[in-house]
Amino acid sequence: MPSLLLGLGVLLSPAPPAQEIQATPEVVAAHVVVPQVGALNRHGQPAVSLEAVDAKVEIVEATASTRLELLLRNRGTRRAQVQVLVPVPDGAVVDSFSFEGPALEARLQVLPRDEASRLYRSIVSRLQDPALLEFAGYRSLRSSVFPVEPNSTLRVRIGYHHLVEIDGARHDYLLPRSESLLGNVPWRIQVELRAQSPVSMVYSPSHELDIRRHSPRRVSAEARGGSVTDPGPFRLGFVLDREGVHASLYAYPDPASGGGYFLMVTGAPPPLHNVAPRRRELTLVLDRSGSMAGGKLDQVKAAALQVIEGLRDGESFNILDYSTTVESMSPHPVIRDQKSVEVARQYLAAMRPGGGTNIHDALVEALRQQAPDERLPIVLFLTDGLPTVGRTGERAITEAVEKGNPHGRRIFTFGVGEDVNVPLLDRVSDRAKGLTTYVMPGEDVELRVAQVFRRLNGPVLSDLILESFDDQGRRITSRVHDLEPVALPDLYQGEPLVLLGRYRGEQPLHFRLRGHEGSGRDRSFEFDFQLDQATTRNAFVPRLWAGRRIAFLVDQIRQMGAQQPGSVFPSLDGLRQDPRFRELSDEILRLSAEFGVLSEYTSFLATEGVQLDQWERLASAVSDNLHERAQLQRTGKAAVSQGRNFNNRKLAQRADYGNRYWNADMEEVGVDNVQQINDRAFFKRGNQWLDSRLVVEGKGLDFDRVVNFGSDAHWVLLEELVLERRQGLLSLPGSILLEHKGSKVLVLAPGEEAPAQAAEQARSGAGAGQEGTSGNQNRDQTNQEQQEDDQ
């Protein structure tokens, strides 16, 4: 059948019913396609699938236009009758609706919240699929019914516009999407942003973006790589240069703690855009021990030369190389010019591998060099082995960095291969405001070094300090606590600074950020943030904070395993008696369970058969993992995987619903039996989802009452959760045990019978009871309503 692109009339609610396709033997019951969820098919009917979504967003000042193109596929042998529903933000107005297909009239209708909710309930009851309940409380666009021919594809295009939300100086764009891990439909998301004022900062807490600045007032962004299949709403925040405020705050309220969690993001302020970035003084410290033979040293030398050639005029550098002893190209850093680059090229060419690995002395010599005040001193430290010469103890080496770095050099370490001391390299870089990069066998050393060095193109502000003040301008330390990271990194061009922490009280937060700009002079910026916009919709904030906090706590345990030569490591029983180890281990378990943020040490919590109500057993298992992996595995592939995970988590900026990490075999894996949804986390056991709050608070995994799917009590519970912005809790596929208003509620899956506990207590008239008619009994009540909706 020829494919025609038809422009179809747009109809705003209220509206007469869209023209329905008359039923014939070739037409089956309607299939519902919700881009945010996927295709919802009636059981036993031919499958219509949603193959991909292409989202193009254009934002001009505070108005956002969203264009969705859906690719539908009918794999069956009969024509399928399809209807599209699109949950949209408040105030959305339809721009366009078109599709490729037969020339039949079709319409798109805007449904207000109440009417959309009634439609959602009707569809959920008819299809016995709760997925759509995640969007209860949203307005919706509803198309009339249109056909998808057998064994064919169809492209549907929908456009709408709305005003973005404004929170202080930040504009927030939101594209509603499901948080479910079950969805795997790729979304290509592209954003074009234009404004009359310069765009000072663009940040997404949900997706990794490729950002291009075409001009100060025009920016484009696109979801990168694996982000195209990541679940969750697409969030984009941007700040315009209007009142000199170039930082923004996302806040999540936590009444139980008397405050909440916050995420502060800041970028390079526009007043500094015309100021040259602070010049760098770069020291390359290269391992030339015997283990570097066989091509590794050649790659390292090529990487070093590439970095030196990439320095700007007026910046300085030096080369230190070490094996048993430490040598240097120059007694002190030299200015980068044509002559010094040629000297470096000759020095590198003459370098040969041989001898042991004297990491201690190499670091000492690098850090003791004199550094001019106006330049930011940076060290790139490369090694492929364990310390074998000189002072080889981990603590001796880390103390040399902590106590012997008078000029505040930033140290970025590179572990080449698997035979490196991972906790040592991580500690050295972490204490010196750097990062560690691990280059696995077969990976290109030159490429990995170049990737890190490109990020160091700046810095715009360095030596940052964040201070908090009260309403009278007096410095205080009681309003904010548990900051992550504890020591602020430098702010580089194109790299937002994301700080997470907790706050007390509900009064406005007053911050001052101090640092050194490109010229070396001190600069300070003051930010005032209101907390009246704190919302549970910002559930990504406490999760990101928990992920960073867990990484910090794990590293504390790793560093407890640092040994001096000849010392004996304490037994696991001995560690369990150590109050510090037990405190750290228990806190890692609590945070992991409460927020559903799992790692290689706690992923077993998602394993079938693990009893989540046996807290002491869980605590012992976490202690075992931390001892056997974090402390004892200090070198080799398993240790390197933990190092990669630590460096990824300690400055994480975006949500990770899949809990991805590198396992001991250096394979990237995820956890799919834990679902983060709204501001809760659920663990799956069989066909039941368990609220993590019941686990952490030790309330037991029994229930106080039972709610049948599709019953009146089910819909009442849904409306209560909509008011709390937690309606997504009822969208999980299976039975759901959740805490609600102090009660433990078991919501049965479609067609599931009440467990014996509820039946017995119902007969006795005590305790837990069963509420509402069953989903099967209730289904007939929706038939007439559904027939009307199908129109």
Side-chain angles (χ1 to χ4, degrees):
M1 177 178 295
S3 177
L4 302 176
L5 180 61
L6 303 177
L8 303 175
V10 174
L11 185 62
L12 302 182
S13 178
Q19 179 176 334
E20 182 183 8
I21 301 172
Q22 296 298 316
T24 69
E26 294 79 28
V27 177
V28 299
H31 301 259
V32 179
V33 174
V34 185
Q36 291 88 341
V37 176
L40 306 177
N41 295 292
R42 181 176 294 175
H43 179 69
Q45 298 298 335
V48 171
S49 60
L50 176 62
E51 299 289 303
V53 179
D54 193 348
K56 289 184 171 62
V57 182
E58 184 177 5
I59 304 175
V60 179
E61 296 291 329
T63 302
S65 297
T66 303
R67 301 285 181 269
L68 301 179
E69 180 176 286
L70 320 180
L71 177 60
L72 308 182
R73 182 182 297 275
N74 180 3
R75 301 180 185 276
T77 58
R78 294 180 293 173
R79 174 187 291 177
Q81 185 176 319
V82 177
Q83 190 173 42
V84 173
L85 297 178
V86 184
V88 293
D90 286 344
V93 177
V94 179
D95 293 328
S96 60
F97 176 39
S98 63
F99 63 85
E100 299 172 351
L104 296 172
E105 181 183 358
R107 296 187 176 118
L108 193 66
Q109 185 178 6
V110 180
L111 302 181
R113 287 186 180 185
D114 291 344
E115 190 172 348
S117 293
R118 184 178 68 86
L119 177 61
Y120 294 162
R121 286 171 48 177
S122 177
I123 293 172
V124 166
S125 295
R126 177 168 60 98
L127 299 181
Q128 297 288 282
D129 186 338
L132 197 52
L133 296 182
E134 185 174 354
F135 298 99
Y138 278 80
R139 302 180 76 202
S140 180
L141 308 182
R142 178 181 69 171
S143 77
S144 56
V145 177
F146 57 87
V148 180
E149 298 301 323
N151 297 309
S152 68
T153 60
L154 179 71
R155 295 185 183 274
V156 179
R157 299 181 179 93
I158 296 173
Y160 64 90
H161 68 268
H162 71 288
L163 296 178
V164 301
E165 293 187 2
I166 298 178
D167 183 352
R170 189 183 70 246
H171 294 59
D172 286 330
Y173 172 81
L174 176 71
L175 178 58
R177 297 172 68 243
S178 174
E179 294 184 286
S180 173
L181 292 172
L182 298 179
N184 58 2
V185 176
W187 281 63
R188 185 188 181 196
I189 303 175
Q190 298 172 296
V191 180
E192 184 82 13
L193 174 60
R194 298 197 306 274
Q196 294 181 356
S197 302
V199 180
S200 64
M201 183 176 63
V202 177
Y203 168 67
S204 172
S206 62
H207 289 69
E208 189 174 7
L209 300 178
D210 285 321
I211 298 175
R212 295 182 59 193
R213 291 186 174 271
H214 305 280
S215 71
R217 295 171 175 80
R218 179 177 168 237
V219 178
S220 61
E222 183 172 356
R224 179 193 302 171
S227 288
V228 298
T229 56
D230 285 345
F234 173 74
R235 302 175 184 271
L236 184 77
F238 60 94
V239 176
L240 301 180
D241 176 24
R242 288 185 173 171
E243 299 179 358
V245 177
H246 309 294
S248 187
L249 193 94
Y250 297 86
Y252 172 90
D254 182 22
S257 67
Y261 300 82
F262 72 88
L263 181 155
M264 189 181 84
V265 55
T266 186
L272 299 183
H273 284 169
N274 296 324
V275 176
R278 187 175 177 184
R279 290 175 176 175
R280 297 163 294 183
E281 178 226 80
L282 181 68
T283 301
L284 290 148
V285 185
L286 311 179
D287 184 348
R288 57 171 172 81
S289 61
S291 59
M292 290 292 290
K296 282 193 288 187
L297 184 58
D298 291 337
Q299 288 190 43
V300 167
K301 291 192 292 184
L305 186 59
Q306 182 184 31
V307 167
I308 291 170
E309 291 175 339
L311 291 171
R312 295 187 296 270
D313 289 340
E315 295 185 315
S316 57
F317 72 94
N318 199 2
I319 301 173
L320 274 66
D321 54 298
Y322 67 97
S323 58
T324 304
T325 58
V326 183
E327 308 293 340
S328 65
M329 182 192 76
S330 171
H332 51 76
V334 298
I335 298 297
R336 184 236 185 249
D337 55 26
Q338 186 174 355
K339 181 179 178 180
S340 61
V341 171
E342 181 58 31
V343 171
R345 181 178 289 107
Q346 294 176 9
Y347 185 83
L348 291 169
M351 195 179 297
R352 297 290 183 270
T357 307
N358 194 337
I359 290 178
H360 178 275
D361 288 1
L363 285 168
V364 168
E365 292 300 321
L367 298 179
R368 66 191 292 265
Q369 299 177 103
Q370 290 298 315
D373 293 337
E374 70 275 9
R375 293 191 181 94
L376 181 71
I378 297 174
V379 174
L380 301 186
F381 184 93
L382 290 86
T383 184
D384 81 327
L386 306 172
T388 59
V389 177
R391 305 189 67 180
T392 59
E394 290 182 45
R395 293 181 182 175
I397 296 173
T398 56
E399 286 177 3
V401 172
E402 294 168 357
K403 299 178 181 180
N405 190 8
H407 305 294
R409 281 183 163 85
R410 278 61 169 158
I411 305 177
F412 293 82
T413 58
F414 294 82
V416 181
E418 301 170 358
D419 297 326
V420 295
N421 188 316
V422 173
L424 172 62
L425 295 182
D426 286 344
R427 187 68 163 187
V428 167
S429 63
D430 193 54
R431 287 298 187 182
K433 297 185 178 181
L435 287 171
T436 300
T437 300
Y438 293 98
V439 187
M440 296 302 293
E443 292 184 338
D444 191 324
V445 178
E446 184 178 355
L447 177 62
R448 298 302 299 276
V449 172
Q451 289 173 340
V452 172
F453 187 68
R454 277 198 298 269
R455 293 179 55 193
L456 304 181
N457 184 27
V460 176
L461 288 174
S462 57
D463 302 311
L464 296 176
I465 298 175
L466 184 71
E467 299 170 324
S468 179
F469 295 85
D470 63 15
D471 291 338
Q472 284 72 45
R474 294 170 299 197
R475 184 180 176 187
I476 57 175
T477 58
S478 59
R479 283 299 311 278
V480 297
H481 59 106
D482 293 336
L483 297 182
E484 291 295 341
V486 176
L488 271 62
D490 299 320
L491 177 61
Y492 292 92
Q493 287 182 342
E495 293 286 332
L497 171 64
V498 177
L499 175 67
L500 291 128
R502 305 181 69 178
Y503 64 86
R504 298 184 179 98
E506 298 180 357
Q507 299 79 23
L509 292 174
H510 307 289
F511 288 142
R512 178 184 295 156
L513 184 66
R514 295 192 289 114
H516 301 307
E517 68 169 17
S519 63
R521 68 188 181 97
D522 292 342
R523 289 291 302 270
S524 65
F525 303 89
E526 295 187 0
F527 310 116
D528 297 320
F529 298 116
Q530 303 293 325
L531 294 176
D532 55 355
Q533 295 294 319
T535 172
T536 55
R537 287 181 296 182
N538 292 336
F540 59 87
V541 173
R543 287 192 190 117
L544 281 172
W545 174 85
R548 288 191 180 187
R549 192 69 173 175
I550 290 169
F552 170 78
L553 297 174
V554 167
D555 191 54
Q556 298 304 300
I557 287 180
R558 284 201 305 168
Q559 300 309 324
M560 290 172 65
Q563 294 297 293
Q564 297 288 6
S567 61
V568 178
F569 198 88
S571 66
L572 178 57
D573 289 338
L575 281 172
R576 286 175 175 163
Q577 300 305 315
D578 183 336
R580 182 166 176 255
F581 178 89
R582 183 59 189 264
E583 182 181 38
L584 293 171
S585 177
D586 285 353
E587 183 66 1
I588 290 169
L589 171 59
R590 186 189 69 81
L591 293 174
S592 299
E594 178 179 354
F595 294 100
V597 177
L598 304 188
S599 65
E600 61 267 51
Y601 314 106
T602 55
S603 60
F604 72 91
L605 294 174
T607 304
E608 287 284 359
V610 173
Q611 296 180 320
L612 295 175
D613 55 351
Q614 301 293 321
W615 190 259
E616 286 301 318
R617 290 185 180 181
L618 300 179
S620 294
V622 172
S623 296
D624 291 349
N625 285 340
L626 289 168
H627 173 61
E628 295 171 2
R629 299 181 186 181
Q631 290 191 321
L632 296 185
Q633 294 176 349
R634 311 193 76 76
T635 186
K637 183 185 293 185
V640 172
S641 69
Q642 295 177 67
R644 277 193 170 181
N645 294 332
F646 167 70
N647 284 277
N648 289 341
R649 293 175 185 137
K650 75 174 186 176
L651 294 177
Q653 298 182 0
R654 295 169 185 86
D656 179 16
Y657 288 89
N659 283 303
R660 288 167 292 202
Y661 65 91
W662 297 95
N663 66 13
D665 295 321
M666 201 53 72
E667 300 167 334
E668 190 176 27
V669 297
V671 179
D672 56 9
N673 277 352
V674 175
Q675 176 67 65
Q676 302 168 0
I677 191 160
N678 297 144
D679 62 346
R680 299 281 184 92
F682 286 81
F683 291 84
K684 189 177 184 182
R685 289 297 182 270
N687 192 43
Q688 187 175 106
W689 293 91
L690 308 176
D691 192 334
S692 68
R693 296 194 178 190
L694 300 176
V695 176
V696 174
E697 297 172 8
K699 294 185 176 180
L701 301 180
D702 55 350
F703 50 86
D704 298 323
R705 62 189 180 102
V706 177
V707 172
N708 287 295
F709 182 88
S711 66
D712 291 342
H714 188 214
W715 304 129
V716 170
L717 177 61
L718 175 65
E719 291 305 315
E720 292 176 352
L721 291 173
V722 166
L723 295 177
E724 299 176 1
R725 294 194 175 100
R726 295 188 174 105
Q727 63 271 23
L729 307 188
L730 296 186
S731 68
L732 298 172
S735 294
I736 307 159
L737 179 62
L738 61 92
E739 182 184 33
H740 178 61
K741 294 184 176 181
S743 179
K744 294 180 286 186
V745 182
L746 176 62
V747 181
L748 296 178
E752 185 170 322
E753 297 295 331
Q757 174 190 346
E760 179 62 30
Q761 291 176 335
R763 284 193 294 270
S764 65
Q770 188 172 354
E771 298 186 15
T773 57
S774 70
N776 291 334
Q777 293 170 328
N778 196 55
R779 219 176 300 154
D780 290 341
Q781 300 174 12
T782 67
N783 284 348
Q784 181 177 355
E785 184 182 54
Q786 180 57 45
Q787 290 173 4
E788 295 172 356
D789 290 329
D790 281 344
Q791 299 292 321

